[in-house]
Amino acid sequence: MEEMEEDALEQIEDDNHNCRAEGVSVFSPAQVCLDSDSSSDTCESDSSATSAANGAALLLNSTSKFLLNAMTAEEYRTVYWPKLERAIEHLLTQSPMDHISISYEQIYSHVYKCVCQQHSELLYNDLMWKITSHLEQVSSELQACPPEHLIENFNVALTQYTAALHCIVPVFIYMNKFYIETKLNRDLRDDLMKLFSDHVAEKHVSTLLPLLKKAHSMPFQVKPSTMASVVKGLYTLRPDWVPLAPALFSRFIPQIEPPAHESQLPYYAAQDKKLQMELSQTGFSRGDQSRKRASEES
């Protein structure tokens, strides 16, 4: 009997030696459970423990990566904001006809990272400060220009600024969605247009409106397209400026005055006749009148 047990032990040792020699792989408890037909509680417990351990390891790894990639306020101030500031400066100062090579994808990526790293408030305040500084410079330049050039220069400033917003607002859309709209209950474009209204238009509207009235009374002293652009721009910025020059705004903005009454028709006819006389006196003829029909000559 003892000889049989010794033979069995020797056989087991030989089998183990052969397995190691042939490179037989060692399976984990979870793998053994998958490969076997057994469904014992022990296998399920081992598998659950392994999955939990793997999940914890992944979570720890992700947390470690996040902490390693965390952006400090100093890093934002010295690395990310200077790049964004340069891009904003280019967008604000370029002419609508100019083309400046800017990586919008890179700007968006920087904005996205700043917002994700909890620097939304810093980013918003810096953006407002940068654009306010630019607009104060624009206002100073308009203040220094001669009155006869103010309408044209104001139109250039407004057009250039509006074109810049078409680029700035989209690349800051992530900050707008997750900070301005969510926490401030406002919209980025509205805030930026208000900056132009407060720091440029409001400072010059008292001078601009009399010049616009004078230019409108003297046809083609200012290009009609420029007149329309400035008046419509002022109305967009502040509709409450209409009472300052209702006749001027009504020439370019439809339906801003109350509906006309029948009793006012003689007044409008007189205004139309006056305009025709003014145009005639400045050299604008009514054209060839010889082709009128006989019924119109009486």
Side-chain angles (χ1 to χ4, degrees):
M1 187 68 178
E2 292 179 355
E3 292 178 356
M4 292 177 63
E5 290 178 353
E6 290 177 358
D7 292 338
L9 291 172
E10 290 176 359
Q11 182 64 36
I12 291 173
E13 290 178 356
D14 291 339
D15 290 341
N16 289 339
H17 177 74
N18 291 337
C19 287
R20 288 192 294 271
E22 293 173 3
V24 176
S25 60
V26 179
F27 294 93
S28 66
Q31 289 173 314
V32 171
C33 290
L34 291 174
D35 292 338
S36 68
D37 294 332
S38 171
S39 58
S40 64
D41 294 338
T42 302
C43 285
E44 292 178 358
S45 176
D46 291 342
S47 178
S48 299
T50 303
S51 299
N54 291 337
L58 288 174
L59 180 61
L60 182 62
N61 188 38
S62 299
T63 304
S64 300
K65 288 181 178 179
F66 178 81
L67 292 175
L68 289 174
N69 294 328
M71 183 198 305
T72 63
E74 180 66 21
E75 186 180 6
Y76 162 82
R77 186 64 64 195
T78 58
V79 178
Y80 287 88
W81 172 243
K83 295 177 182 179
L84 292 171
E85 185 180 15
R86 286 193 297 270
I88 294 167
E89 180 70 24
H90 284 313
L91 294 173
L92 288 172
T93 56
Q94 71 175 345
S95 167
M97 301 303 295
D98 293 341
H99 174 72
I100 300 177
S101 178
I102 295 177
S103 174
Y104 293 98
E105 182 180 359
Q106 186 180 46
I107 301 173
Y108 178 87
S109 176
H110 288 344
V111 172
Y112 175 84
K113 185 167 185 179
C114 291
V115 174
C116 289
Q117 295 289 334
Q118 307 299 316
H119 295 301
S120 301
E121 185 176 0
L122 268 177
L123 183 60
Y124 175 77
N125 291 335
D126 284 339
L127 178 63
M128 295 295 107
W129 168 82
K130 176 62 181 177
I131 294 182
T132 298
S133 301
H134 168 76
L135 292 177
E136 289 176 347
Q137 178 65 31
V138 170
S139 181
S140 299
E141 293 172 359
L142 291 175
Q143 189 72 37
C145 78
E148 60 269 21
H149 297 152
L150 181 59
I151 296 176
E152 183 66 36
N153 290 350
F154 182 88
N155 182 55
V156 170
L158 179 58
T159 303
Q160 187 175 23
Y161 184 73
T162 305
L165 294 195
H166 287 311
C167 300
I168 293 174
V169 172
V171 295
F172 280 85
I173 190 172
Y174 201 75
M175 181 187 72
N176 185 43
K177 182 175 181 62
F178 291 98
Y179 177 72
I180 303 176
E181 291 183 356
T182 304
K183 293 189 176 181
L184 304 182
N185 296 319
R186 297 200 301 267
D187 178 76
L188 177 59
R189 181 177 179 81
D190 292 342
D191 283 2
L192 297 183
M193 290 301 292
K194 188 176 185 302
L195 288 181
F196 190 93
S197 175
D198 293 344
H199 296 279
V200 180
E202 189 169 354
K203 293 181 179 180
H204 299 280
V205 68
S206 59
T207 305
L208 202 55
L209 286 178
L211 292 173
L212 289 167
K213 292 179 184 179
K214 181 181 178 181
H216 184 65
S217 66
M218 302 174 65
F220 301 100
Q221 182 183 19
V222 177
K223 290 189 297 184
S225 59
T226 300
M227 287 284 295
S229 176
V230 172
V231 174
K232 291 178 180 179
L234 291 174
Y235 178 75
T236 301
L237 292 171
R238 291 275 296 274
D240 57 341
W241 282 335
V242 171
L244 299 177
L248 175 67
F249 280 97
S250 64
R251 293 285 183 177
F252 301 95
I253 311 296
Q255 300 179 350
I256 64 170
E257 288 190 327
H261 297 284
E262 185 177 354
S263 59
Q264 295 176 307
L265 291 180
Y267 168 77
Y268 290 123
Q271 289 290 105
D272 184 64
K273 186 175 181 179
K274 179 183 177 182
L275 177 61
Q276 291 182 18
M277 290 179 62
E278 290 174 352
L279 291 174
S280 177
Q281 290 172 359
T282 54
F284 292 93
S285 64
R286 298 179 62 186
D288 185 9
Q289 303 293 313
S290 63
R291 300 184 64 183
K292 280 187 176 182
R293 290 175 294 187
S295 60
E296 294 178 342
E297 293 178 354
S298 56

